[in-house]
Amino acid sequence: MRLPRSLSGWTMAVFGFLAVALGVVGLVSPDTMLALLGFEVLPTRDPGDYTKVYLAASSMAAVNMGVYYLLAAAADYRPFFLWTVPFRLLTFTVFTLLVVTGAAPARFIGVGIWEGVGAVVTGAALWWEHRRPPSPDDGVSVAAVENPADSA
């Protein structure tokens, strides 16, 4: 797999790696993940308590999503980076509201903050990359940018 070629790609790669790693933790040791999120870890669960099933599903989704982010970072697929920003801000909002309304424990706010900060950092990196002129290291021909009609 290629290393990211842009700052925005690095933000995506870091998020993707963390999503994969935390997803694996949730699959391998659900009690550890529950404790990290601030949820009570019970020695036994009552029949009909599907907490660990839901955690396994969420953890597998995190692994899959992390892989998508890593692949997008390796391909430097900036449209995907851009698409994630508003949805990660939405995730920040929903997770923060869960804590504020008491539906989730206070430590769960870390998930919302992680999403919000990640969205802002990726958005800022994309904004910065858009404002600076392309360089030969970007893999874009400076001549093509200066005169796009000649490259068609």
Side-chain angles (χ1 to χ4, degrees):
M1 186 178 294
R2 301 175 75 146
L3 290 176
R5 293 167 289 189
S6 63
L7 179 60
S8 58
W10 277 105
T11 69
M12 298 298 287
V14 168
F15 182 79
F17 174 79
L18 290 172
V20 169
L22 290 170
V24 169
V25 169
L27 289 169
V28 172
S29 181
D31 288 343
T32 300
M33 183 55 66
L34 287 170
L36 283 172
L37 294 172
F39 292 103
E40 185 178 2
V41 177
L42 303 175
T44 60
R45 299 236 171 231
D46 293 332
D49 180 346
Y50 296 108
T51 301
K52 290 191 178 180
V53 172
Y54 181 76
L55 183 62
S58 297
S59 295
M60 191 62 232
V63 169
N64 284 339
M65 184 181 64
V67 170
Y68 298 152
Y69 277 62
L70 290 170
L71 292 172
D76 203 38
Y77 191 56
R78 293 180 197 191
F80 179 79
F81 304 170
L82 183 62
W83 299 333
T84 69
V85 173
F87 290 104
R88 291 178 72 189
L89 289 173
L90 176 63
T91 303
F92 159 77
T93 303
V94 170
F95 287 179
T96 300
L97 284 173
L98 288 172
V99 173
V100 170
T101 62
R107 284 182 59 191
F108 194 73
I109 195 75
V111 179
I113 291 170
W114 178 42
E115 289 284 352
V117 168
V120 169
V121 170
T122 298
L126 287 164
W127 175 81
W128 180 78
E129 291 166 356
H130 180 73
R131 291 186 41 91
R132 70 181 179 88
S135 72
D137 294 337
D138 292 337
V140 176
S141 165
V142 174
V145 171
E146 290 173 354
N147 196 353
D150 290 344
S151 64

